[in-house]
Amino acid sequence: MANVAVVGAQWGDEGKGKIVDWLSERADVVVRFQGGHNAGHTLVIDGKTYKLSLLPSGVARAGKLSIIGNGVVVDPWALLKEIETVKAQGIEITNTNLCLADNAALILPLHGELDRLRERMRGEGKIGTTGRGIGPAYEDKVARRAIRVADLADPDALPALIAELLVHHNALRRGLGATEVEARALEAALREIAPRILPFATNVWARLDDARRRGRRILFEGAQGAMLDNDHGTYPYVTSSNTVAAQAAVGSGMGPGAIGFVLGITKAYTTRVGGGPFPTELDDEIGRSLGEKGKEFGTVTGRPRRCGWFDAVLVRQAIRVNGIDGIALTKLDVLDGFAEIKVCAGYALGGETVDHLPAGRAAQAAVTPIYETFPGWTESTKGARSWAELPATAIKYIRRIEELIGAPVTLLSTSPERADTIMVADPFAD
């Protein structure tokens, strides 16, 4: 059976949590492969809502192994807090159903402080980070000064590692007018957290290789979305990791051949959080209506999301960059009741038509959408579980989206509830 990588095909918040949870019934292992606790996945199961950040969405399924891969930057305090939160909701988390890559880099308190300091200094030009230290932690990882999970098992080495780290960070903090970090306090905090984190730590690449060899089905779960990718997104208004499907292999310690099917998640409209270009954004009553009906507030930050019509240009680009085989179209029910619905089929730029989002910042800000207009539908699609339950105009809308993006709809979600999903094709099938 094929292993499946699930990635966002817009700017994140596409509903990956529900889709991964739904697919995890068919999987044996669920792997989170990038990002940090800036991600937010909401699961609604039997009327109960679970909000996850670091934990893979598979934790809500009994008998599944959940893995936090080496591509994730891990705030150990946030992870333990999240574990306690879901435990209080009835989900038991132990080292038998959750593994943490021992070569994953840690997010420390100084990373969050630096993140927030920088955003304040940017003023009107701020990127819109969550302020949780993800970017600074990835910077330390790339610069080879990060403290990793495995380092917690060697307390005698911690003072030297911390000293090397603080040479850089305290120089930055002096320049930003912030107080320096005290090495002993940071060491004490890491020594205290170590015995609570280390029971989850292991070489997950070996666990995954063993699972693959035994024919276990593996589900790779991405965070954010393709247009927030550090290379392929709307730079610099992006996250600090690679969010595309190729990162599933790198961020888990498996070869690219381990991924059989790439499923892209996309809303039936478009949203984005924070700053940056957004060609189809609707700063009007329709945009506000989409936000209200779709409950468009960040799972982690609570920030309202910017809303707009479906951007087929953007999604088509994401499909090509990720090698997406099929899409899961979510939140179709939010479009119920609109008299007409628009889809961006191309961009106008400098008197010409372009079929992709340019890399240049000025060009990204200057493109304007070229729309196709469709009749809406008055019937409710909420909770539909078969094509027969959908209005003909809704089906026509979906079919046109498939044509414009160049990929089929594999799954269709009609509410946040796990069961309200129409499967057109099984991504796990060979």
Side-chain angles (χ1 to χ4, degrees), residues 130-164:
T130 59
R132 282 162 168 74
I134 282 74
Y138 274 116
E139 288 176 37
D140 283 346
K141 175 181 177 178
V142 173
R144 301 183 296 275
R145 58 175 171 260
I147 295 174
R148 305 198 299 177
V149 173
D151 295 326
L152 298 178
D154 188 4
D156 291 340
L158 278 178
L161 295 175
I162 291 171
E164 181 182 359

Side-chain angles (χ1 to χ4, degrees), residues 238-280:
V238 293
T239 194
S240 298
S241 62
N242 289 111
T243 62
V244 294
Q247 180 64 18
V250 179
S252 63
M254 301 193 78
I259 302 166
F261 190 97
V262 179
L263 181 68
I265 316 297
T266 176
K267 286 176 180 168
Y269 51 102
T270 311
T271 64
R272 130 160 255 182
V273 172
F278 186 171
T280 65

Side-chain angles (χ1 to χ4, degrees), residues 310-344:
F310 186 85
D311 190 334
V313 181
L314 209 68
V315 174
R316 183 171 63 241
Q317 187 166 324
I319 284 168
R320 293 174 178 176
V321 169
N322 285 272
I324 288 171
D325 298 293
I327 67 165
L329 190 67
T330 66
K331 292 200 169 184
L332 180 68
D333 55 298
V334 174
L335 297 181
D336 293 353
F338 284 98
E340 65 177 28
I341 299 167
K342 294 183 179 181
V343 172
C344 174

Side-chain angles (χ1 to χ4, degrees), residues 169-189:
H169 277 274
N170 279 339
L172 270 179
R173 293 171 73 95
R174 286 193 296 272
L176 293 169
T179 57
E180 296 187 14
V181 175
E182 209 281 312
R184 289 185 180 178
L186 178 55
E187 181 185 346

